Each structure stands twice: as structure tokens, then as C-alpha cells.
């Protein structure tokens, strides 16, 4: 319903003081001179979520349901992604009922804003086709038109918001663009968390702690985009052009198990009879490299593979290349691990030889410790002289392994964040049974078979490695397989397969070296 008209006295007071009234995430005010934009506080929920009839947009990639008054998004189902590997599992909904009550994709103008009933009908698009939905509304003398453009082969939704001043006074303010998302992952999933992400001049920042989102978190400073993401999916607000009214501000908050995101886009001052158009782009979809590369404002930075990103990305490309030939990501992981092991074979050989030389010196090192146990300086001098005499580098066994660590970490991050592994099978059933086993490389081994075998191979590898001279250090090293087994119990099975294969190859290399020496 239309808001009741204000009295002349109230209108005069508002005009003279430059008062900004707001509800939701944006505000537009009538001013007699340049006024500073005030902060606005989004309402806890919006009645727009249930305003009007449903309008459905169906493409080969998603099915989206909007409300005809204002364009509130009620659901956004990804056609190609399911919630689980169970047959008949529903599609992944990036909004759902919990987030729909906050009316994502609504446009907030201020108190008293009303939206017309849209004449738009349902859209069904094929790949290569595009179409638009139009929503119109008003705030006093301000007329607003939203034109949303959809494409059949893209997860991007482009909006052109036209704000027209049909009154007699100059106006300014800001328009709030909104998104809302439920938990995109399980609450207990430590390796795939839902978090807020932003990209600005300072770089990519992720807010994972819910305590930091108890109140609105603000980000500006050359904002490129902001949104909510998991390892596999992303919802983002992308200001695709710098407004003449000022710099956009992104805000996020966690409320009622829902991540809320708001992007306030300042309007330039509008004289009577003038208008301005603000562009905005929404992204709601999977974090596939090819998909994100097509998005504006460097949205591909949403895939963060850690410090060794420059190593992880080529490894992920190699993994996808191998999978194209073998047709199984589990087999591709094994082949890629073998290739990496072959490349590092010379370094590993050097490491094992150095450890073997250290093993030969252990009896003499033990005698030195017994002889100079009370004089640590003298003991160290004698040990260095011993290393020099036999031309042994005590760090020779560690340095080659240290050089391999960036590759191991890079591959770890690549496998952890690769959406290609989500719901991808390796060994679907336990052999000769109907029991589901490694049917999802992004989930843990349901029977903990692979992590237990991995722990056993790690223990065997420790036994084959020359023991350190320090007895305490030797005990700690033997305890490491137990620690790693416990950590790997809930790791995604794709990561466990990689680590297990690497251990088996290391054992084979050590065995071959020992046999060659004999």
C-alpha cells in the first residue's frame, strides 16, 4: 500500500534539514544543499520476500524464482549440482527458505518506498539466449526502474538501476543492493567453511569467524566485489562501474544462521527532471575457473589456493588434463602423484643418501654425547669436526625434502578447493559388494580405510628411515604417524589418496635404494 502522505510541516522540516529516512539498506533524501550520506542499517527482515506472485527464470545452468513486487529472490537452484550423491537428491539452492526471508536481490531506497506489480512473465532461456525482467517502484517523487538481464550460458545477472527525479528539489543518497545465503557447508566441516570474502586495494580478505560478523563488517577502499562463499560456491555483489556519487561500501553480517551482504552504491546528486543509471552485477554459482574467468572485476580471485597459488594452479590444470584421458579423478590423482615423485626423484635420492651417511656416523655421535655430555659447546665442536672429516652435511637429508614442501602444500590446496572433485567417485563400491565407499572424493572415507592404511605406510616409512641420534626426537618421529592418522580421518578422501600414494612411492624408493646399496 502507498505510504500515507506527510504533512506540509513535516515535509518542510525534512527538506530544510536534509533528513535521510531509511529502511533496509539504502536511502535517498531531498536536500537543499550538498549533504553528507548517512549510514543506513538494514532491517532484520523484509516483507518484500512474500510480495506478489512468483516469476521463474529457467536456464540450462539454474532455476531462479523472483517476486513480482520489487524482484526479491526466493530461490536460486543450480541445475548441475546436487546436495548429496544420493539418487534423486535436490539441486543445490544458494538461497533457500532461511535466506529468502531477508529478501535477497531487493533494492532498498528508504522508508515509504513502494513497488509496482511487474508485468513480466516466466523466462526460459537456452544457451546463447538472453532476456530481461523489469521492476519499477517509487519513493515520493523519485521513480526507480530495475532491469535485470539473464543469460542462458552464464551465472551472472546484470542490473541497470535507473533513478529519476520527477520532483522539484535536488536529491542524493545511496542505493542498497542485497544478497543473503544460508550455510553453504555443514556446521562441523572444518575443511570447507562458509565465509565472507571481499576484494579491494588491500587484496583478498576472508572473514571466517562468526564473532567478527556479529555486527556489520564494512569494507570499501577500492572495492572490487564482496560476497559469501565456500570452497565450491560463491554469491557475490560486483559494482561494475564507479558511481559519480562516491565509492561503494560493502557490508556483511551473520544473523539467524544466514549470511547477509549489502553493497551501498552512492548516487550522484540529481537535479529536478534528471536521472542516473547505476550498473551492478550479481554472481551466484560454482567456483569453476572457466566460469569465474568470464566475470568482471577479477572475480576469479575468489579461488584462493594459498601462498603457493602459483604452484597449485598448474597442478590443478594438470589434474584436469590427466582426468580427460583416464576419466576418473581418483586415478588422475594417482598418476599426478607419480609424475611429481618422478620429478623429485633426484632430490629424494640425495636426501636418502645423506640420511644413510648420518646413520653410519650414529655410533660415533653417541660416543661424543657420552664423552662431552656436560660440555655442550665442546660436544658441538667435536660433532662438526666429525662431519667435516667424513664430508657429511647434517642438513643434507632435510634440505631436499624442504624444497618439495611447497609442491605438497600447493597440491593439497588444489585438491581441497577443486570443485571438480565434488561428488566425483573413485571406487564407488567396496569390491564385490553394493556398499558405497569412495563415491565422493570431496568427502571423508566413510569406513576410514584409506587414512588407516596411510598411517600404516607412514609408520613403515619411519621405520625404514635412519633414526635420529637424539632418543627423544626418535620417539617423537615414531609418534607422528599416529598424529597424522588422527588428522586425516576426516580429510576429503581425494587428499588421503594423494598422501597414501606418495607414502607408498617413498617406501618403494627407499627399498630400492637399500637393495641397490646391498
Amino acid at each position: 500500500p502507498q505510504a500515507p502522505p506527510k504533512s506540509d510541516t513535516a515535509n518542510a522540516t525534512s527538506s530544510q534539514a536534509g533528513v535521510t529516512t531509511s529502511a533496509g539498506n539504502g536511502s535517498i533524501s531531498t536536500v537543499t544543499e550538498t549533504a553528507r550520506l548517512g549510514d543506513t542499517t538494514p532491517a532484520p527482515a523484509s516483507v518484500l520476500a512474500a510480495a506478489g506472485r512468483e516469476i521463474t527464470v529457467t536456464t540450462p545452468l539454474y532455476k531462479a524464482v523472483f517476486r513480482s513486487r520489487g524482484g526479491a529472490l526466493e530461490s536460486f537452484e543450480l541445475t548441475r549440482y546436487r546436495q548429496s550423491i544420493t539418487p534423486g537428491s535436490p539441486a543445490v539452492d544458494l538461497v533457500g527458505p532461511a535466506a529468502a526471508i531477508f529478501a535477497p536481490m531487493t533494492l532498498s531506497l528508504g522508508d515509504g518506498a513502494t513497488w509496482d506489480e511487474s508485468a513480466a512473465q516466466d523466462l526460459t532461456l537456452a544457451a546463447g539466449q538472453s532476456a530481461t525482467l523489469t521492476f519499477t517502484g517509487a519513493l515520493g517523487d523519485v521513480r526507480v526502474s530495475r532491469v535485470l538481464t539473464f543469460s542462458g550460458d552464464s551465472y551472472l545477472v546484470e542490473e541497470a538501476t535507473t533513478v529519476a527525479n520527477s520532483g522539484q528539489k535536488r536529491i542524493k543518497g545511496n542505493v542498497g543492493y542485497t544478497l543473503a545465503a544460508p550455510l553453504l557447508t555443514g556446521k562441523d566441516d572444518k575443511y570447507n567453511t562458509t565465509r565472507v570474502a571481499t576484494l579491494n586495494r588491500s587484496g583478498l580478505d576472508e572473514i571466517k569467524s562468526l564473532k567478527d560478523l556479529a555486527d556489520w563488517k564494512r569494507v570499501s577502499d577500492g572495492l572490487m566485489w564482496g560476497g559469501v562463499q565456500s570452497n565450491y560456491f560463491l554469491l557475490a555483489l560486483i559494482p561494475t562501474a564507479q558511481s559519480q556519487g562516491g565509492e561503494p561500501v560493502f557490508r556483511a553480517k551473520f544473523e539467524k544462521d544466514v549470511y547477509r551482504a549489502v553493497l551501498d552504491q552512492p548516487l550522484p546528486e540529481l537535479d529536478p527532471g534528471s536521472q542516473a543509471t547505476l550498473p551492478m552485477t550479481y554472481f551466484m554459482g560454482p567456483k569453476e575457473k572457466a566460469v569465474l574467468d568470464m566475470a568482471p572485476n577479477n572475480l576469479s580471485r575468489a579461488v584462493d589456493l594459498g601462498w603457493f597459488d602459483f604452484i597449485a594452479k598448474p597442478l590443478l590444470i594438470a589434474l584436469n588434463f590427466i582426468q580427460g584421458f583416464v576419466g576418473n579423478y581418483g586415478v588422475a590423482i594417482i598418476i599426478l602423484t607419480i609424475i611429481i615423485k618422478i620429478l623429485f626423484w633426484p632430490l629424494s635420492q640425495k636426501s636418502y643418501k645423506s640420511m644413510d651417511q648420518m646413520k653410519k656416523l650414529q655410533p660415533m655421535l653417541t660416543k661424543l654425547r657420552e664423552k662431552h655430555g656436560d660440555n655442550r659447546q665442546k660436544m658441538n665442536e667435536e660433532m662438526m669436526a666429525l662431519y667435516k672429516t667424513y664430508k657429511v652435511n647434517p642438513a643434507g637429508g632435510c634440505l631436499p625434502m624442504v624444497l618439495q614442501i611447497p609442491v605438497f602444500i600447493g597440491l593439497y590446496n588444489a585438491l581441497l578447493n577443486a570443485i571438480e572433485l565434488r561428488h566425483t567417485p573413485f571406487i564407488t563400491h567396496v569390491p564385490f559388494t553394493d556398499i558405497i565407499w569412495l563415491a565422493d572424493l570431496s568427502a571423508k572415507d566413510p569406513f576410514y580405510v584409506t587414512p588407516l592404511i596411510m598411517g600404516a605406510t607412514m609408520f613403515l616409512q619411519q621405520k625404514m628411515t635412519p633414526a635420529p641420534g637424539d632418543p627423544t626426537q626418535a620417539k617423537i618421529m615414531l609418534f607422528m604417524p599416529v598424529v597424522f592418522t588422527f588428522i586425516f580421518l576426516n580429510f576429503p578422501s581425494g587428499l588421503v589418496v594423494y598422501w597414501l600414494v606418495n607414502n607408498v612411492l617413498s617406501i618403494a624408493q627407499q627399498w630400492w635404494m637399500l637393495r641397490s646399496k646391498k
Side-chain angles (χ1 to χ4, degrees):
Q2 294 286 341
K6 293 182 180 179
S7 65
D8 292 338
T9 303
N11 284 334
T13 303
S14 176
S15 174
Q16 293 171 5
V19 175
T20 298
T21 59
S22 67
N25 314 300
S27 61
I28 296 177
S29 59
T30 301
V31 295
T32 55
E33 57 184 88
T34 302
R36 179 181 177 181
L37 291 174
D39 290 338
T40 56
T41 303
S46 174
V47 296
L48 289 176
R53 58 187 173 82
E54 291 184 352
I55 301 175
T56 302
V57 178
T58 305
T59 77
L61 303 178
Y62 60 83
K63 177 183 177 182
V65 178
F66 295 86
R67 287 292 176 177
S68 57
R69 288 185 179 272
L73 183 61
E74 191 165 89
S75 67
F76 198 92
E77 297 180 352
L78 304 180
T79 307
R80 299 180 179 179
Y81 296 91
R82 300 291 160 180
Q83 295 180 15
S84 70
I85 61 174
T86 305
S89 174
V92 170
D93 188 349
L94 296 181
V95 178
I101 65 170
F102 292 101
M105 283 191 72
T106 49
L107 195 66
S108 296
L109 307 175
D111 284 335
T114 60
W115 291 95
D116 306 325
E117 173 68 28
S118 175
Q121 300 298 317
D122 294 347
L123 299 177
T124 300
L125 304 177
Q129 293 182 327
S130 63
T132 62
L133 293 179
T134 301
F135 303 94
T136 57
L139 175 62
D141 293 327
V142 178
R143 291 294 302 174
V144 179
S145 173
R146 304 183 65 196
V147 179
L148 303 179
T149 302
F150 305 87
S151 174
D153 49 11
S154 174
Y155 292 98
L156 296 170
V157 179
E158 298 179 353
E159 173 166 355
T161 307
T162 301
V163 180
N165 182 5
S166 58
Q168 301 300 314
K169 297 178 181 178
R170 187 158 40 110
I171 64 169
K172 73 172 301 182
N174 65 73
V175 175
Y177 298 85
T178 68
L179 280 179
L183 289 169
L184 302 176
T185 58
K187 288 186 176 181
D188 299 327
D189 195 335
K190 299 178 181 178
Y191 308 106
N192 182 14
T193 59
T194 307
R195 62 265 189 192
V196 170
T198 60
L199 180 67
N200 63 359
R201 291 191 185 97
S202 301
L204 180 68
D205 182 39
E206 291 186 315
I207 306 172
K208 299 180 181 180
S209 173
L210 296 181
K211 292 181 180 179
D212 295 337
L213 295 170
D215 201 358
W216 289 98
K217 180 74 173 180
R218 298 169 59 92
V219 179
S220 55
D221 189 27
L223 180 73
M224 300 289 285
W225 55 264
V228 181
Q229 70 172 352
S230 66
N231 288 6
Y232 305 131
F233 302 106
L234 169 67
L235 299 90
L237 293 160
I238 311 170
T240 47
Q242 181 66 46
S243 169
Q244 296 179 1
E247 193 173 47
V249 177
F250 176 81
R251 291 179 290 151
K253 182 181 182 181
F254 185 74
E255 181 180 349
K256 297 181 180 179
D257 288 335
V258 173
Y259 289 83
R260 303 183 63 190
V262 180
L263 197 148
D264 293 321
Q265 184 78 298
L267 272 172
E269 287 191 29
L270 294 180
D271 293 324
S274 65
Q275 66 181 33
T277 299
L278 300 178
M280 175 63 62
T281 300
Y282 304 87
F283 177 89
M284 289 166 283
K287 292 168 63 175
E288 296 179 3
K289 183 181 184 303
V291 170
L292 295 178
D293 285 345
M294 296 172 59
N297 287 21
N298 209 4
L299 189 63
S300 59
R301 287 284 304 278
V303 179
D304 181 20
L305 300 181
W307 291 351
F308 303 110
D309 179 272
F310 63 97
I311 297 175
K313 286 184 176 178
L315 289 175
L316 188 54
I317 293 173
L319 180 68
N320 290 327
F321 178 78
I322 296 170
Q323 192 274 340
F325 285 96
V326 300
N328 184 301
Y329 270 104
V331 176
I333 290 172
I334 294 173
I335 295 175
L336 181 60
T337 308
I338 293 173
I339 293 174
I340 293 173
K341 197 66 179 177
I342 292 173
L343 293 175
F344 282 109
W345 184 277
L347 283 176
S348 299
Q349 283 293 96
K350 186 175 181 180
S351 176
Y352 293 147
K353 287 180 180 179
S354 180
M355 287 189 289
D356 186 58
Q357 289 174 323
M358 286 295 295
K359 183 179 181 181
K360 293 177 182 179
L361 295 182
Q362 285 305 319
M364 287 181 276
L365 292 172
T366 301
K367 289 182 179 180
L368 286 177
R369 289 190 182 93
E370 294 173 354
K371 183 178 179 180
H372 304 289
D374 297 332
N375 189 341
R376 197 162 191 84
Q377 182 177 354
K378 181 65 175 177
M379 181 182 67
N380 288 336
E381 291 175 356
E382 292 289 341
M383 289 174 65
M384 293 306 295
L386 188 65
Y387 294 145
K388 186 176 181 180
T389 301
Y390 287 91
K391 298 179 181 178
V392 175
N393 182 359
C398 300
L399 186 58
M401 300 303 294
V402 170
L403 295 176
Q404 300 179 52
I405 288 176
V407 176
F408 293 155
I409 295 177
L411 185 56
Y412 163 84
N413 284 325
L415 295 178
L416 188 63
N417 292 278
I419 193 172
E420 292 88 346
L421 297 187
R422 185 180 184 272
H423 294 178
T424 300
F426 175 28
I427 304 174
T428 308
H429 298 89
V430 175
F432 311 111
T433 72
D434 293 330
I435 302 174
I436 295 177
W437 186 24
L438 301 179
D440 183 2
L441 286 170
S442 67
K444 69 179 183 179
D445 185 333
F447 306 117
Y448 305 108
V449 174
T450 48
L452 291 175
I453 297 177
M454 186 278 302
T457 58
M458 195 172 182
F459 180 79
L460 179 59
Q461 188 179 4
Q462 289 286 355
K463 296 296 289 184
M464 295 176 66
T465 303
D470 187 350
T472 303
Q473 187 178 355
K475 291 179 181 178
I476 293 175
M477 294 302 293
L478 285 176
F479 187 68
M480 289 298 291
V482 179
V483 176
F484 269 74
T485 301
F486 180 78
I487 294 175
F488 272 67
L489 286 177
N490 294 311
F491 260 34
S493 55
L495 289 170
V496 182
V497 169
Y498 150 66
W499 204 272
L500 170 59
V501 173
N502 184 72
N503 283 353
V504 171
L505 294 174
S506 298
I507 291 171
Q509 187 176 7
Q510 285 181 266
W511 174 83
W512 181 85
M513 190 196 72
L514 292 172
R515 184 182 179 188
S516 299
K517 186 181 68 172
K518 290 180 180 180

